[in-house]
Amino acid sequence: MNKTDLNLIIENYLRNPFRSFGLSLLIALLASVLLVGGLLSFSLSKGLNRLSSRLGADVIVIPQGSEINDQTVLLQGDSKYAYLPQGSLEFIRGLEGVEIATPQYFLTTLNSSCCEQKVMIIGFEPASDFVIQPWIHEVLTDKLPKGAIVVGSEISVGEKRTVRFFDHEYPVAASLEPVGNKLDQAVFVDVATLADIREAAKAKGVIFLHQDVKSEGSDSPIYSSVLIKLRAGADIERLSREIHTRFDGVQIRTRKDLFSGLEKSANFLQIVVWSIVALFLVIAVAAIVISFSLSTRERRREYALLRIVGYARKRLRTLVLGESLLVSAVGTYIGLLLSSVAFFTFKIWIGEHVNVPFIVPGNAEIAAVYAVVVLLLHSVGPVAVFGVANKVSEIDAYAALREVEH
């Protein structure tokens, strides 16, 4: 394509700005939906894969009335907790088919008036834990130092790498890789450090929703949840019946329960997004075809004159395809700019409201999504008007001029 043809394409685009910009804006909407859909799909898939690899529990036992649904235990967290009945951990550990059972303790989300930041604290038992410590070992090869804490990826630790709770500084041993949910805003501590935080809170006159990890008048600790790893061939239904028979007020969730709900939510979101993409694609292609078909009829004399002054059929086809490419390109870059600003500005808000693990993909994956969107949408215009361009190239110049004169 020479400079003359390029100038003519730009001139034709600007000659009817309402039509040209209207089509470009339609492509911009398609680009926005396509980009957000691609990034959202990658983010949901990455979040689910990361969470699946980290959740090593086959069964989770939680208390009734804890206001937590199938996804929130160890997946998103909740600030309103109940505790499991006395002796539940010891009973579960003695059941047939249980390989490991480990407790966790949840403290009510702290108020910003008493702490540097609003967080959720999850306590674990180092001797039996098989869920949190593998996460920690991904970023901390040494043993967790006494009194140190581990924080989620969204907890800001500053240059001192400490977090203050109740006027006490706690050194941060490591920051975890993102999981894609509210665990990224949590603090993980062993039971000894958890007890120290509770004592510091008492000294400041702060009372948690459940302030003690031991019930009054008993030396037996109480827990927020118990995570179970089963032996091969264990009967989950039998285990569930035995726990329900012994204890009232407990809920039992299997790994399948947890992830089936998450996968259904993720799949539904993706179906909605890609259905919208398909709808916009159909509308955009139809609008471009109709618009260029009408434009071609109006400009038959112009095309005829170009043929008379020496434009080859192939060159005439190039002009039409070039104009459609310009329409697509302008719309694509407008759409990518606007949707990029929106997505990356509100990615935290999106992650908090989709109720599914959500991790924004890495730079290479993001670049791949952008490349696919650019290549696809640059071709939408030319592909849509290819038939129209062929008809233009086949115009009989003298016949077209006579039609206009008459």
Side-chain angles (χ1 to χ4, degrees):
M1 183 183 296
N2 57 40
K3 187 175 180 181
T4 302
D5 290 346
L6 182 60
N7 290 337
L8 188 57
I9 288 171
I10 296 174
E11 181 182 336
N12 288 336
Y13 180 87
L14 297 175
R15 180 186 300 174
N16 192 338
F18 180 79
R19 177 185 69 89
S20 300
F21 283 112
L23 293 175
S24 292
L25 287 177
L26 190 58
I27 296 295
L29 288 175
L30 177 59
S32 298
V33 176
L34 189 58
L35 177 67
V36 171
L39 293 176
L40 186 63
S41 293
F42 265 109
S43 300
L44 295 177
S45 298
K46 189 169 184 177
L48 282 173
N49 291 336
R50 176 72 60 83
L51 188 59
S52 178
S53 66
R54 287 191 170 186
L55 183 58
D58 298 310
V59 178
I60 298 177
V61 182
I62 56 177
Q64 293 279 4
S66 56
E67 299 189 15
I68 41 186
N69 60 36
D70 288 356
Q71 287 83 38
T72 52
V73 176
L74 244 194
L75 305 183
Q76 295 191 28
D78 194 283
S79 61
K80 299 177 182 178
Y81 297 105
Y83 281 81
L84 290 170
Q86 291 290 323
S88 54
L89 177 63
E90 293 74 14
F91 177 79
I92 291 170
R93 282 175 171 168
L95 292 175
E96 181 181 351
V98 173
E99 181 177 342
I100 306 173
T102 187
Q104 287 190 347
Y105 310 85
F106 301 138
L107 288 187
T108 306
T109 304
L110 304 175
N111 296 323
S112 57
S113 61
C114 67
C115 312
E116 284 188 340
Q117 46 200 338
K118 190 174 182 180
V119 299
M120 161 186 157
I121 298 177
I122 299 177
F124 63 92
E125 183 182 81
S128 62
D129 175 70
F130 61 92
V131 175
I132 293 177
Q133 288 182 120
W135 304 1
I136 296 174
H137 291 159
E138 292 178 3
V139 292
L140 181 67
T141 55
D142 298 329
K143 185 178 179 181
L144 182 64
K146 183 179 180 180
I149 65 176
V150 176
V151 300
S153 61
E154 294 181 11
I155 298 291
S156 175
V157 297
E159 294 182 0
K160 294 172 62 179
R161 292 201 62 78
T162 61
V163 175
R164 179 188 294 272
F165 295 131
F166 310 104
D167 294 335
H168 283 229
E169 295 278 352
Y170 294 90
V172 176
S175 296
L176 296 175
E177 292 295 320
V179 180
N181 52 40
K182 291 184 180 178
L183 287 181
D184 293 332
Q185 304 160 17
V187 170
F188 302 86
V189 301
D190 59 29
V191 289
T193 305
L194 182 69
D196 183 74
I197 293 174
R198 289 177 48 255
E199 291 302 319
K202 286 183 181 180
K204 296 288 290 183
V206 176
I207 304 298
F208 290 108
L209 178 64
H210 294 278
Q211 99 179 39
D212 295 318
V213 293
K214 292 184 179 181
S215 62
E216 295 183 6
S218 172
D219 291 331
S220 177
I222 55 177
Y223 314 103
S224 303
S225 68
V226 173
L227 284 74
I228 305 170
K229 185 176 182 180
L230 299 175
R231 294 190 178 94
D235 188 338
I236 294 180
E237 292 185 3
R238 178 181 176 183
L239 179 141
S240 178
R241 287 196 304 269
E242 291 181 350
I243 295 174
H244 280 301
T245 300
R246 179 65 180 270
F247 299 103
D248 294 325
V250 297
Q251 302 177 60
I252 298 174
R253 295 289 183 267
T254 66
R255 182 187 182 92
K256 182 179 179 181
D257 292 335
L258 293 169
F259 281 95
S260 63
L262 290 171
E263 289 172 352
K264 287 179 182 177
S265 298
N267 291 337
F268 176 75
L269 283 173
Q270 294 190 37
I271 289 172
V272 170
V273 169
W274 293 115
S275 296
I276 295 173
V277 169
L279 176 63
F280 272 102
L281 180 60
V282 170
I283 293 174
V285 170
I288 290 173
V289 171
I290 293 171
S291 177
F292 272 83
S293 296
L294 294 175
S295 174
T296 299
R297 293 179 183 178
E298 296 172 356
R299 295 161 59 186
R300 282 177 62 81
R301 179 182 177 84
E302 176 186 335
Y303 293 134
L305 290 173
L306 288 174
R307 287 283 293 126
I308 290 173
V309 298
Y311 269 66
R313 296 182 184 277
K314 184 177 180 181
R315 192 177 179 186
L316 207 58
R317 183 190 303 116
T318 300
L319 288 179
V320 178
L321 294 176
E323 187 178 346
S324 67
L325 177 61
L326 181 59
V327 167
S328 296
V330 171
T332 298
Y333 294 117
I334 291 175
L336 289 180
L337 176 62
L338 296 178
S339 58
S340 297
V341 172
F343 182 85
F344 291 106
T345 300
F346 296 101
K347 64 180 180 180
I348 295 177
W349 183 89
I350 295 172
E352 290 177 347
H353 287 79
V354 294
N355 292 322
V356 177
F358 181 91
I359 300 177
V360 175
N363 292 334
E365 293 165 316
I366 291 175
V369 173
Y370 275 89
V372 169
V373 172
V374 169
L375 290 175
L376 177 62
L377 293 189
H378 273 58
S379 64
V380 166
V383 169
V385 303
F386 187 78
V388 176
N390 281 334
K391 289 183 178 180
V392 169
S393 67
E394 295 170 358
I395 287 178
D396 184 313
Y398 296 103
L401 287 176
R402 284 197 299 271
E403 288 176 11
V404 172
E405 290 173 356
H406 290 85

